Structure formats: C-alpha cells, structure tokens
Amino acid sequence: MNMQVEELKKRIGEASRICVFTGAGISTESGIPDFRSQNGLYRKNLEFSDVISTSFYQNNPVLFWELFKEIFRVKLLDEYEPNSGHYFIAELEEEKTVHVITQNIDGLHQKAGSTNVYEIHGTIKRAHCQKCGSEFGLNFLTKVELPSCTSCEEALKPNVVLFGDSIHWFEEAVEAALQSDLFIVMGSSLQVTPINQIPLLVRKHGQVPMVIINKEPTYYDYVFDNQIHLPIGEVVTALKSGK
C-alpha cells in the first residue's frame, strides 16, 4: 500500500489540472455520519427515498421538514469542521488548477478553502421559495419548525437535490473531469447514479490517470489505475510526509 501512496504522490506532483470526486467518506472523518446508513431515523414506515423526495415535500411539508432536519442534523451542521482531507484538496489550489465534484451537501470543501466546487446534490445550507425565488440561510432554517418565505408564506424547499429532482452541474462536472490530467475519487462507493458514470466517462474518453481512495473496495475499482483502501486521513498524512 505504501507503493500505491507513493505513486499517487508522484502523479499529484506531475499534474497541473486535478479533478477530485468526493463522497460521504471524506466527511465522515469530520463526524458527519453517512445518512444512508441511519435506518433508525425513519418513522411511520417511511424509507429514505420516501422522505427525501419532492412529492413528500409537496404533500406534507411540515413532516418533511421535521424528518429532513432529523436526518441531516441541520441544527448541528455549523459545528462540523473540515478535516485533513478537505484541507489537502484546498491546499492543492496553491500550485494547481483543482476542480472538486462532490456528492456531499455539507459545504465543508468551501469552508476548507476550495473555490471550484460542483455540488452535484446541492447544499443543505440554504433553502428557497418556489414562488418568488427568495433564498434563506441556515440560521433562518433552524429557528422555526416549518421554514416559510417571509414574503409569500410558502413552505421553503431546501437547496438539496431531492428524489424526483435533477442533479446540478452534471455537464460542467463531466467537462472538468475530462479536461483534468489526474482524476481522484475520495470517499465514495460510487453507488449513486448518474454521477457514478463520471469515472466511466473519464476512462472511456481519455488517458487520464485515475485513482480511488476508499476504505472499502467498490464495484468500479477496475476502472482505476490505482486503488487505495485506507482512511482518507491516513492517506493524506502519508502524502504530506517527507515534504
């Protein structure tokens, strides 16, 4: 495994345009749980896909917001801080062009200092009124049981991609990935479609070196030139050693 980390360090040193694709595994090291594994949160015989859906929001906004806040721990979100993985990616911008494609909605990449971030699934830090378009921040959302527009009194919709919504920035993310000269996946099991197709597109359309860092093997490991099955923090420590 040390040889694989050394190979990644070499590839990073040689690259000028890096695209990093991140999933829940990079934020679990900040204490944010992978919400998909929190089966105990769901009540009234509702599955995750039932609750976090546009139809559920439209039909029962009060219960939607109650469960949404419970699942994503909205009230605690500002207490979470970036970890060494987030900071490592942000620091790469000091010398290279870096684009981040993230499945996460926690905003920790921006908090760490990354500037080119495609939040494919949106952000939990804001919500909007579907009638007038007004946006509201996290402080407002956590103060009331049912966040509603101060002008229209309509129930706000979180700026998170719900089941039934289209994902954000897909074309831009694919372009950034294809134009990179190093593509790194960090902390994603690559189970969520359609964004798990991005590594396949990179492999199909270019000769870009591809590396995946994930604690467990994934179905798509075969696509990558280098597979590192270690915690991200451990890999980052090894990458920084000897600098």
Side-chain angles (χ1 to χ4, degrees):
M1 193 58 67
N2 287 339
M3 291 181 61
Q4 290 175 305
V5 174
E6 287 300 318
E7 178 65 21
L8 174 57
K9 183 186 291 189
K10 179 173 179 266
R11 292 185 188 278
I12 290 174
E14 294 172 344
S16 59
R17 297 180 63 88
I18 299 176
C19 184
V20 186
F21 179 115
T22 66
I26 195 169
S27 290
T28 53
E29 295 188 26
S30 290
I32 298 179
D34 181 354
F35 56 81
R36 292 180 182 275
S37 66
Q38 293 180 287
N39 296 324
L41 287 173
Y42 314 131
R43 304 195 299 267
K44 304 181 186 296
N45 297 318
L46 294 169
E47 298 292 335
F48 176 82
S49 57
D50 295 326
V51 175
I52 308 303
S53 68
T54 299
S55 59
F56 191 76
Y57 155 76
Q58 292 171 338
N59 294 328
N60 198 333
V62 175
L63 184 57
F64 168 85
W65 271 104
E66 177 188 345
L67 296 179
F68 181 86
K69 289 181 178 183
E70 184 177 346
I71 291 170
F72 293 108
R73 300 189 180 185
V74 174
K75 292 184 179 180
L76 301 177
L77 193 64
D78 274 346
E79 297 179 7
Y80 294 115
E81 295 295 333
N83 59 58
S84 61
H86 297 104
Y87 285 119
F88 177 76
I89 295 170
E91 288 164 5
L92 290 175
E93 287 192 28
E94 296 174 6
E95 300 178 354
K96 305 173 186 296
T97 299
V98 181
H99 289 88
V100 180
I101 304 168
T102 187
Q103 298 172 261
N104 300 332
I105 58 177
D106 51 44
L108 291 183
H109 282 297
Q110 293 93 327
K111 200 170 185 178
S114 290
T115 57
N116 303 313
V117 182
Y118 296 115
E119 294 178 305
I120 296 291
H121 292 149
T123 175
I124 201 171
K125 291 185 174 291
R126 295 186 298 280
H128 65 281
C129 174
Q130 292 190 289
K131 180 177 287 188
C132 71
S134 297
E135 288 208 347
F136 298 82
L138 194 61
N139 289 337
F140 179 83
L141 302 179
T142 57
K143 289 178 181 178
V144 291
E145 180 180 349
L146 175 61
S148 301
C149 180
T150 53
S151 298
C152 306
E153 299 184 352
E154 291 285 317
L156 300 180
K157 185 179 181 183
N159 287 13
V160 170
V161 174
L162 306 177
F163 286 91
D165 293 340
S166 298
I167 63 172
H168 300 166
W169 306 110
F170 184 73
E171 292 182 2
E172 293 85 350
V174 169
E175 183 178 358
L178 293 178
Q179 290 183 352
S180 66
D181 49 25
L182 178 61
F183 181 80
I184 307 173
V185 170
M186 299 177 70
S188 176
S189 59
L190 297 175
Q191 294 181 1
V192 179
T193 58
I195 59 173
N196 62 357
Q197 299 304 299
I198 293 178
L200 297 179
L201 291 171
V202 174
R203 175 55 69 213
K204 180 179 179 180
H205 293 287
Q207 300 298 318
V208 179
M210 300 175 64
V211 180
I212 184 168
I213 305 167
N214 198 57
K215 288 173 68 174
E216 303 293 335
T218 76
Y219 178 79
Y220 290 106
D221 273 9
Y222 72 92
V223 173
F224 295 86
D225 303 296
N226 201 1
Q227 305 89 19
I228 302 174
H229 298 140
L230 291 171
I232 291 170
E234 187 174 329
V235 175
V236 167
T237 297
L239 288 172
K240 288 187 169 184
S241 65
K243 282 191 175 183

